[in-house]
């Protein structure tokens, strides 16, 4: 008697979970037809989650690179070729070739595209920055140029981009906020004031009614103390105010460039951050995940490698946080192998190349511990705590 009651209760509970899951349509994801497919893309697809990578278009000639990029990931981001200096190197002269090559790769492999990036202070064409410096481009001209650029680019790719990074890295960090508080920063703010952010989202929406429009930034992986130097809180208030004014912002992208040198994130902190942004009506995405390691990371002998373990933990904390938050639509790594990572040539304060090996695969394409950690998170999670994604409707 007792046994059958328990059975009935568990069947009822399972049915309730199934109903709750069924009531909310999954956002999609990429589902493999092969039941034994253990790729990240197939496993993520079971959660309706898109898993992505930044693509170095120059590396697509390498068959191993192209194979991993196409089989493991269901969404892709152009690492550099959809930035302003590449798309419009001369005023009024657009060069679409590399970006179109990237789009063709995504299309051939049934991958969704995260468009990166419309408004950023880096990788701007020289004609633009020189024109502003020498005064030949006034503020009014600059605003018109930004409008025309956004409209031209978004229209060119209309219907092919799932999420656009519309505005990228618009605010200061705690260490570069001399006034003792987080504020706006960069080329666009200096010349146009903070109004450019709302304008950019509105112009992007006019050019594409379907794409999800994203505000993307780094160091917003967890909320801090809520004080004047809490960057995540600043971005939260900024997005809240933009949404209240009707600005069409659909997604907050947390880049998640981490390092084993800093912090100890827990999956719960990541989940709290994602869930709290979702209270504003936006979806979320982890957009540029990597975890830099201090060199050297090779430990000889039979001991475990603490750096590889620490790195795997961070990748996993981010994945678990994302899986737990139903509005987290995608988890994108910023390059998947150590041979093609921006960290190889960047100086993070300890000299170039001192902190690197930040990705899921070694330079000779062997999956690292971080790969297995992420793969296991995807394989072994599910109801009742991990449910399928909730789709985001573009705000119009
Ligand atoms: O294309 C030129 C080439 O013509 C020249 O000969 C060569 C010599 O230095 O430089 C090449 O440009 C480099 C470009 O990548 C393309 O490879 C730039 O020097 C280099 O600075 C640039 O780095 C990119 C960086 O953004 C620029 O800020 C990285 O690859 C790219 O991964 C990185 O990505 C950013 C995201 O867009 C936004 N979030 C942070 C993330 C990491 O910094």
């Amino acid at each position: 008697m007792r046994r059958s009651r328990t059975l009935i209760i568990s069947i009822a509970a399972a049915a309730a979970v199934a109903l709750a899951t069924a009531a909310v349509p999954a956002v999609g994801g990429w589902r493999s037809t092969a039941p034994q497919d253990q790729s990240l893309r197939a496993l993520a697809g079971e959660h309706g989650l898109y898993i992505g990578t930044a693509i170095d278009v120059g590396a697509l000639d390498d068959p191993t690179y192209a194979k991993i990029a196409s089989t493991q990931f269901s969404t892709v981001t152009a690492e550099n070729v959809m930035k302003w200096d590449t798309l419009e190197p001369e005023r009024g002269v657009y060069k679409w070739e590399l970006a179109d090559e990237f789009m063709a790769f995504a299309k051939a492999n049934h991958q969704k595209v995260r468009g990166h990036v419309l408004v950023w202070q880096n990788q701007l064409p020289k004609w633009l920055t020189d024109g502003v410096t020498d005064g030949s481009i006034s503020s009014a001209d600059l605003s018109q140029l930004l409008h025309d650029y956004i409209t031209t680019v978004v229209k060119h790719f209309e219907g092919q981009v799932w999420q656009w990074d519309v505005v990228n890295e618009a605010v200061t960090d705690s260490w570069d906020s001399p006034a003792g508080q987080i504020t706006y920063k960069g080329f666009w703010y200096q010349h146009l004031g903070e109004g450019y952010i709302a304008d950019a989202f509105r112009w992007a929406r006019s050019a594409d009614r379907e794409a999800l429009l994203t505000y993307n930034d780094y160091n917003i992986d967890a909320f801090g103390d809520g004080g004047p130097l809490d960057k995540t809180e600043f971005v939260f208030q900024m997005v809240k105010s933009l949404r209240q004014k009707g600005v069409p912002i659909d997604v907050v992208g947390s880049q998640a460039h981490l390092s084993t040198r800093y912090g100890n994130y827990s999956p719960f902190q990541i989940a709290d951050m994602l869930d709290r942004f979702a209270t504003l009506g936006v979806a979320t995405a982890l957009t540029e995940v990597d975890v830099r390691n201090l060199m050297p990371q090779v430990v000889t002998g039979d001991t475990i490698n603490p750096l590889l373990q620490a790195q795997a933990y961070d990748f996993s904390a981010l994945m678990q946080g994302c899986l737990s938050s139903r509005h987290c639509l995608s988890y994108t790594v910023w390059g998947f192998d150590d041979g093609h990572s921006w960290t190889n040539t960047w100086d993070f304060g300890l000299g170039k190349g001192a902190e690197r090996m930040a990705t899921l695969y070694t330079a000779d394409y062997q999956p690292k511990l971080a790969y297995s950690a992420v793969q296991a998170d995807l394989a072994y999670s599910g109801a009742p705590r991990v449910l399928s994604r909730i789709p985001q409707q573009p705000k119009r």
Side-chain angles (χ1 to χ4, degrees):
M1 178 68 191
R2 209 165 181 202
R3 235 163 144 202
S4 60
R5 252 183 76 182
T6 318
L7 188 68
I8 289 163
I9 290 166
S10 11
I11 290 169
V17 167
L19 264 177
T21 315
V24 181
V27 82
W30 183 89
R31 281 173 192 276
S32 169
T33 47
Q36 298 311 318
D37 190 345
Q38 295 291 301
S39 66
L40 300 183
R41 112 177 241 177
L43 294 170
E46 290 173 11
H47 302 283
L49 175 72
Y50 284 85
I51 183 142
T53 182
I55 294 286
D56 176 348
V57 172
L60 290 175
D61 292 344
D62 174 343
T64 312
Y65 182 94
K67 181 157 189 225
I68 295 175
S70 59
T71 55
Q72 294 287 336
F73 301 99
S74 47
T75 173
V76 283
T77 309
E79 186 175 1
N80 285 301
V81 301
M82 286 168 71
K83 292 174 178 172
W84 198 331
D85 61 349
T86 303
L87 291 182
E88 195 187 6
E90 284 173 60
R91 187 167 178 172
V93 180
Y94 282 85
K95 301 265 187 204
W96 303 112
E97 292 81 358
L98 291 172
D100 287 347
E101 186 187 327
F102 162 77
M103 286 289 181
F105 178 84
K107 191 172 176 199
N109 296 301
H110 311 288
Q111 292 165 312
K112 287 200 182 262
V113 170
R114 296 199 73 266
H116 180 81
V117 50
L118 295 172
V119 193
W120 191 28
Q121 53 263 9
N122 289 3
Q123 290 167 288
L124 290 171
K126 201 164 168 335
W127 63 262
L128 182 75
T129 47
D130 284 357
V132 170
T133 307
D134 68 22
S136 60
I137 294 176
S138 67
S139 291
D141 297 335
L142 188 63
S143 180
Q144 186 65 43
L145 283 163
L146 183 62
H147 168 271
D148 295 351
Y149 175 77
I150 290 175
T151 306
T152 306
V153 172
V154 174
K155 279 264 168 238
H156 179 83
F157 297 113
E158 190 180 0
Q160 300 177 68
V161 171
W162 175 41
Q163 300 177 25
W164 264 114
D165 285 336
V166 178
V167 176
N168 195 41
E169 302 173 12
V171 306
T172 57
D173 291 281
S174 54
W175 61 85
D176 68 355
S177 299
Q181 57 185 34
I182 306 289
T183 182
Y184 296 97
K185 74 171 183 195
F187 178 86
W188 297 102
Y189 173 61
Q190 280 157 24
H191 298 289
L192 299 178
E194 66 185 77
Y196 83 90
I197 299 176
D199 287 343
F201 279 97
R202 290 193 169 115
W203 294 334
R205 173 57 73 234
S206 298
D208 188 334
R209 291 185 47 83
E210 298 300 328
L212 295 176
L213 305 182
T214 304
Y215 175 76
N216 193 43
D217 214 329
Y218 62 90
N219 281 345
I220 56 165
D221 327 292
F223 282 91
D225 61 4
L229 288 173
D230 183 346
K231 182 173 177 178
T232 316
E233 180 66 26
F234 184 93
V235 171
F236 179 84
Q237 295 301 338
M238 177 187 82
V239 173
K240 183 175 178 185
S241 149
L242 288 168
R243 292 270 305 184
Q244 280 169 350
K245 288 180 197 143
V247 176
I249 168 167
D250 305 310
V251 182
V252 169
S254 170
Q255 295 181 5
H257 289 292
L258 305 188
S259 168
T260 54
R261 196 174 149 206
Y262 305 110
N264 290 298
Y265 287 107
S266 88
F268 297 103
Q269 282 175 293
I270 309 287
D272 282 351
M273 178 276 289
L274 296 168
D275 283 342
R276 199 162 153 219
F277 273 109
T279 64
L280 299 178
V282 292
T284 54
L286 299 177
T287 56
E288 304 185 14
V289 177
D290 54 15
V291 184
R292 306 187 297 273
N293 256 320
L294 282 176
M295 295 294 291
Q297 65 172 312
V298 178
V299 178
T300 51
D302 292 333
T303 180
I304 61 166
N305 184 328
L307 286 172
L308 287 178
Q309 298 257 341
Q311 179 185 53
Y313 176 83
D314 276 354
F315 269 101
S316 176
L318 290 162
M319 178 54 85
Q320 290 178 14
C322 180
L323 279 170
S324 81
S325 181
R326 299 188 68 190
H327 295 274
C328 182
L329 303 181
S330 57
Y331 178 109
T332 292
V333 295
W334 204 241
F336 58 84
D337 69 296
D338 288 344
H340 299 92
S341 168
W342 70 293
T343 59
N344 292 339
T345 50
W346 217 260
D347 184 348
F348 297 97
L350 298 174
K352 268 189 187 177
E355 259 182 275
R356 53 192 167 99
M357 296 195 169
T359 74
L360 296 174
Y361 288 79
T362 62
D364 55 358
Y365 300 124
Q366 298 309 306
K368 291 155 67 172
L369 198 55
Y371 177 95
S372 334
V374 166
Q375 189 184 33
D377 290 336
L378 291 169
Y380 302 132
S381 54
R385 296 193 188 277
V386 173
L387 302 177
S388 59
R389 312 294 89 189
I390 296 174
Q392 179 71 5
Q393 298 308 320
K395 184 170 167 63
R396 300 194 178 104

